[in-house]
Amino acid sequence: MHRRPSRENSHHGRDAQSYYGLKIFAHQHDWISREIDWINALPNLHFVYLSRRDLLGQAVSWARAIQTGQYRSIQPANQPAVFDAELIRRQLDVLVRERARWEMFYARTGIEPLRLEYELVVANPQDAVRKVADMMGLQLQPNQDFSKVVIQKQRDSINLEWAHRFKLEQGNPNVLDIV
C-alpha cells in the first residue's frame, strides 16, 4: 500500500489523499523492479503480506485456475479441470518458494509488513480493512459501509476432494521435500 506525498512533493500532481494498493507476487516484483526503484519511486511505501495457512488448498485452487482460466469467481471457466497431482505439486512448490522469497526480502530489508492471513480476512474482511486503514493512518468513518467488502471463495467440494487425493497419493511422511 502506498500513500502519495503532498502535491508539493509529488511528481505526478496528486494530492496527499491519493491512496492505492497493488497486489504482486514475487515473480512480478522481479519484472517491475527491473524498471522501477520502488522505494524512491513510491515514498511512504507500506507493505501488506497476505499469507494462507492452507498452502495445499491454495495450490489446488491455483491448479484449477490454470486449467480453467478462472482466476476470479466473476470470470467464467473456459474448460473443465481434471485432477493433476504433478500440476498441484508444481504450484505448491511455487507457493513455498514465493513465501520464502518474501520472508527473505523482509528480513534483508528490515521492512515490517502488516501481516494478514487469508483465512482470517475471509472470516472478517472488515477487520482487515480496519488494519490496513490503521497502518495507513486513515480514520474510518464510524458509519463506514462495509457492504462492498465481499470476498467470494471459489473453493468447493472438488477442491477438498483433490486435496484429500493429493495427500493420499503424494503425502509420504518419510519424504522431506527439497524446494
Side-chain angles (χ1 to χ4, degrees):
M1 288 296 221
H2 171 63
R3 180 177 57 186
R4 285 213 180 266
S6 68
R7 180 180 290 271
E8 297 80 43
N9 297 326
S10 174
H11 299 293
H12 303 286
R14 304 262 170 111
D15 64 19
Q17 297 305 310
S18 295
Y19 295 86
Y20 58 92
L22 175 66
K23 174 186 171 184
I24 62 170
F25 293 96
H27 68 276
Q28 293 167 322
H29 182 278
D30 295 342
W31 301 335
I32 297 167
S33 65
R34 287 185 205 124
E35 305 294 324
I36 295 173
D37 175 357
W38 289 93
I39 301 302
N40 289 324
L42 304 170
N44 302 315
L45 187 62
H46 299 286
F47 288 81
V48 176
Y49 180 68
L50 179 65
S51 62
R52 187 164 166 180
R53 277 183 246 146
D54 181 11
L55 283 179
L56 178 56
Q58 186 176 4
V60 167
S61 292
W62 198 1
R64 284 185 70 187
I66 288 169
Q67 290 183 9
T68 64
Q70 184 182 31
Y71 290 87
R72 292 174 187 83
S73 59
I74 60 172
Q75 292 176 305
N78 296 331
Q79 62 187 23
V82 295
F83 179 82
D84 183 339
E86 184 54 36
L87 179 58
I88 294 169
R89 179 180 279 285
R90 282 195 311 267
Q91 298 321 116
L92 186 57
D93 185 67
V94 169
L95 290 168
V96 168
R97 289 173 189 266
E98 288 259 340
R99 180 178 281 189
R101 289 190 67 203
W102 282 115
E103 292 298 347
M104 180 75 148
F105 172 79
Y106 295 133
R108 182 178 51 76
T109 62
I111 292 170
E112 290 290 334
L114 169 63
R115 292 179 181 270
L116 299 175
E117 281 190 348
Y118 168 82
E119 289 84 355
L120 297 176
V121 171
V122 170
N124 189 352
Q126 295 86 357
D127 185 55
V129 170
R130 283 187 189 94
K131 287 177 180 177
V132 171
D134 288 347
M135 177 191 68
M136 299 297 296
L138 295 173
Q139 190 73 23
L140 294 177
Q141 301 299 322
N143 59 350
Q144 190 73 36
D145 178 15
F146 285 110
S147 65
K148 292 183 175 91
V149 181
V150 178
I151 297 175
Q152 269 191 310
K153 293 184 262 184
Q154 288 180 266
R155 179 177 56 246
D156 59 21
S157 62
I158 293 171
N159 291 62
L160 299 175
E161 290 169 23
W162 285 14
H164 179 72
R165 181 175 171 187
F166 184 86
K167 286 185 234 179
L168 287 175
E169 294 179 13
Q170 306 288 318
N172 183 348
N174 296 308
V175 174
L176 187 60
D177 300 281
I178 297 173
V179 293

